[in-house]
Amino acid sequence: MTIAPTVSMRTLLNIGLLAGFTIVYTGLIGMIQVFSERSIIYGILTLGQLLIFLPPLVAGFIAARRSQHLGAGRAFVNAGMVGLIAAVLPILLVLFISNVDIRFMFVNASPALIDQLTFGRGVPMGSAFLALAGLVSGSIGGILVLLPLPIRRSIIFGASWVIGVGLLSELMIQILRNLFGNNAGRIIFQSGALKPLPAIIIFVVAALASLLWSMQGNNVKSRYAGMSESSKRATQRAGVGLLGVFLLMLPWIVGTFLSEVLSNVGLYVLMALGLNIAVGLAGLLDLGYVTNFAVGAYVMGVLTSTGPLGKGEFSFWLIIPVSVISAMITGFLLALPVLRMRGDYLAIATLGFGEIIRLLALSDWLAPYIGGAQGILFIPKPQIGGFIVDTPQEFYYLILAACFIMLFISVRLNNSRTGRQWMAMREDEDAAGAMGIDTTLAKLLAFTLSAASGGLAGAIFASKLGAIFPHSFSLLISINVLSIIIVGGMGSIP
């Protein structure tokens, strides 16, 4: 006869105290206060309150899962107990900072934090309410564990949709106003948050959709798996076609302001597709990618500007290939001194290139040619016949076309012999060299082709802005583009 293992009180205590410490920590660093300014459901739930409710709920979920073998009743009791334990540390914090001023150590240990933790009910009543909130949150976590898996997933999915729509309420309001007029958002939102009734509707619809998929999803997958290859390709083409139609309609759905945001996002996507060649495929950590971006922008500015520094007689379409080729030459030349470097040393060297280009752009030495700190003004917009690409929606299409071109090139390179050489070099440069791969040529090619995308993005950026200045080419651009690659997956084009 085997005896089922029990969950010790020490384990439950540790889980609860860890959840309580999470609440205390987020409160002392100011997250609860700042996030409380963002409402999710108007008059009911703020993002700061979510930071208070979520830790005991997760702790209760974990405790109930560990206690599930002991029976539903014991699991539920343990979950509620852990939620109650999670409230102990926040209550002690409220009692402590209400009597002792520790703001010289923790700036955010203020009456405002007490008000947030006690839900505006004062210290005695608020502490009791905080304990009740921990108990209820932990118990809800326990109930989730005891529910059947499809129902649990549907509830979590529905709650996630409510939170997501509440957080993106300002974005949704702008879209609704653009599509249906200024009063459209008032039906669903109030003061930048979801109204209670629309929140319930969103929860129910999302939960039912998740539940329906859990019931029919396997049938859909099996039907798709049983389709012929031609049918699968047709389905994939239809999906790509729908995505293309959506992307084409997107700027007119979201409006002018969000189209400007999408254009800026597109420029970073364009640069990330290029940097992914060097960093993701070839494994060359390049922190000076802004160099290529700056070269493309300044070539476009100098050769098209109608101001005193510009040539003026060249059009945008004529200079685009010149900007790309100039950036590629720059990438090639800057790759030569760092061919023998790897890892952190390569990153530091390329980081220096980014600073060099910024200082050269600011220098008095090149000021007669590229304007120095004053930059280059009067850069004309792209023109097709009599049509001038001027508005954010129109620039969106230009940037989208550039992204698709770079996407096509990246996919082809990824599946080519050269791409396989880069990936082999990324995994082990010495082994790749021993297999006969010319690592020097592969590195030069990676840096050169990677720079092309930066030059293209810089040229479009200069024309879009109409003026360029040295401060537009800071290290932060390289860091942001590298962050896209890291978050999206090294070498992963999708």
Side-chain angles (χ1 to χ4, degrees):
M1 178 180 179
T2 58
I3 300 175
T6 60
V7 180
S8 67
M9 187 63 192
R10 182 176 180 178
T11 300
L12 299 177
L13 188 65
N14 288 339
I15 296 172
L17 290 178
L18 182 60
F21 176 78
T22 303
I23 300 173
V24 170
Y25 177 77
T26 52
L28 290 178
I29 65 174
M31 284 181 64
I32 290 179
Q33 296 179 55
V34 174
F35 285 14
S36 293
E37 299 173 4
R38 192 75 174 92
S39 293
I40 296 176
I41 303 175
Y42 181 75
I44 296 177
L45 181 66
T46 67
L47 188 56
Q49 291 171 347
L50 189 64
L51 292 180
I52 299 174
F53 296 139
L54 199 56
L57 190 149
V58 173
F61 184 89
I62 295 172
R65 171 165 282 185
R66 293 190 178 184
S67 309
Q68 199 170 6
H69 62 279
L70 301 175
R74 182 65 181 274
F76 178 75
V77 170
N78 286 351
M81 186 186 306
V82 164
L84 192 60
I85 293 171
V88 171
L89 287 181
I91 291 173
L92 291 176
L93 177 66
V94 167
L95 295 174
F96 185 73
I97 63 178
S98 62
N99 294 288
V100 180
D101 186 10
I102 58 171
R103 297 188 68 179
F104 64 94
M105 295 174 57
F106 301 100
V107 178
N108 297 294
S110 62
L113 177 59
I114 298 175
D115 190 59
Q116 295 298 332
L117 290 175
T118 59
F119 306 97
R121 288 173 168 78
V123 175
M125 183 63 69
S127 298
F129 195 84
L130 184 57
L132 179 62
L135 177 63
V136 172
S137 298
S139 300
I140 292 173
I143 292 172
L144 287 175
V145 171
L146 300 176
L147 291 173
L149 183 60
I151 296 177
R152 182 201 311 164
R153 286 179 175 173
S154 64
I155 291 175
I156 295 174
F157 187 74
S160 300
W161 262 91
V162 172
I163 294 170
V165 173
L167 289 176
L168 298 175
S169 57
E170 293 182 358
L171 174 66
M172 302 294 293
I173 289 170
Q174 289 192 32
I175 294 174
L176 290 173
R177 285 177 178 173
N178 184 62
L179 292 175
F180 306 109
N182 292 331
N183 296 325
R186 295 180 182 177
I187 301 173
I188 303 174
F189 302 98
Q190 181 176 349
S191 301
L194 270 170
K195 289 183 176 180
L197 182 58
I200 294 172
I201 294 173
I202 291 171
F203 174 81
V204 171
V205 171
L208 289 177
S210 175
L211 190 60
L212 182 63
W213 175 255
S214 65
M215 296 168 61
Q216 300 296 328
N218 290 332
N219 293 334
V220 174
K221 291 177 183 178
S222 61
R223 288 179 184 176
Y224 180 78
M227 293 169 62
S228 63
E229 289 300 321
S230 59
S231 299
K232 286 182 180 179
R233 283 195 294 269
T235 304
Q236 292 170 358
R237 290 193 193 103
V240 172
L242 289 174
L243 177 61
V245 171
F246 174 74
L247 290 175
L248 291 175
M249 294 175 59
L250 192 56
W252 308 106
I253 294 174
V254 300
T256 303
F257 173 74
L258 290 177
S259 294
E260 177 70 19
V261 174
L262 288 173
S263 297
N264 292 331
V265 170
L267 287 174
Y268 276 99
V269 170
L270 182 58
M271 287 190 283
L273 285 170
L275 186 59
N276 190 51
I277 294 174
V279 177
L281 294 181
L284 305 171
L285 186 53
D286 185 358
L287 292 181
Y289 196 70
V290 69
T291 305
N292 310 312
F293 183 63
V295 168
Y298 271 102
V299 168
M300 176 61 70
V302 169
L303 296 180
T304 63
S305 173
T306 57
L309 294 175
K311 305 303 179 184
E313 63 267 21
F314 300 109
S315 70
F316 170 85
W317 303 107
L318 186 63
I319 301 304
I320 273 284
V322 178
S323 295
V324 172
I325 293 171
S326 300
M328 292 175 70
I329 293 172
T330 304
F332 175 81
L333 294 176
L334 295 182
L336 293 175
V338 299
L339 287 176
R340 294 181 178 272
M341 295 182 181
R342 302 183 189 180
D344 297 340
Y345 302 102
L346 176 62
I348 294 170
T350 54
L351 176 65
F353 294 149
E355 285 300 291
I356 288 170
I357 200 71
R358 183 183 66 83
L359 294 174
L360 285 175
L362 282 169
S363 68
D364 294 334
W365 177 46
L366 292 178
Y369 307 102
I370 60 175
Q374 302 300 319
I376 301 176
L377 308 176
F378 307 109
I379 302 174
K381 306 294 183 184
Q383 188 171 351
I384 306 173
F387 177 75
I388 300 176
V389 180
D390 193 15
T391 64
Q393 286 98 332
E394 292 162 358
F395 264 104
Y396 166 87
Y397 292 115
L398 177 63
I399 295 170
L400 183 65
C403 287
F404 273 122
I405 292 171
M406 193 60 207
L407 179 63
F408 174 77
I409 294 172
S410 297
V411 171
R412 297 292 292 177
L413 285 172
N414 192 39
N415 297 326
S416 68
R417 180 184 179 89
T418 303
R420 291 194 293 271
Q421 289 179 352
W422 285 333
M423 286 184 274
M425 188 175 67
R426 176 190 66 193
E427 298 303 324
D428 192 323
E429 186 175 337
D430 294 327
M435 291 172 63
I437 296 174
D438 188 343
T439 56
T440 299
L441 180 60
K443 285 183 180 180
L444 285 172
L445 197 58
F447 274 114
T448 304
L449 293 178
S450 173
S453 181
L456 178 59
I460 297 174
F461 171 78
S463 184
K464 174 178 174 290
L465 203 62
I468 50 174
F469 305 95
H471 70 262
S472 300
F473 308 103
S474 64
L475 172 64
L476 189 60
I477 290 178
S478 297
I479 300 300
N480 285 340
V481 177
L482 183 63
S483 298
I484 293 173
I485 296 172
I486 293 171
V487 173
M490 302 280 280
S492 172
I493 294 174

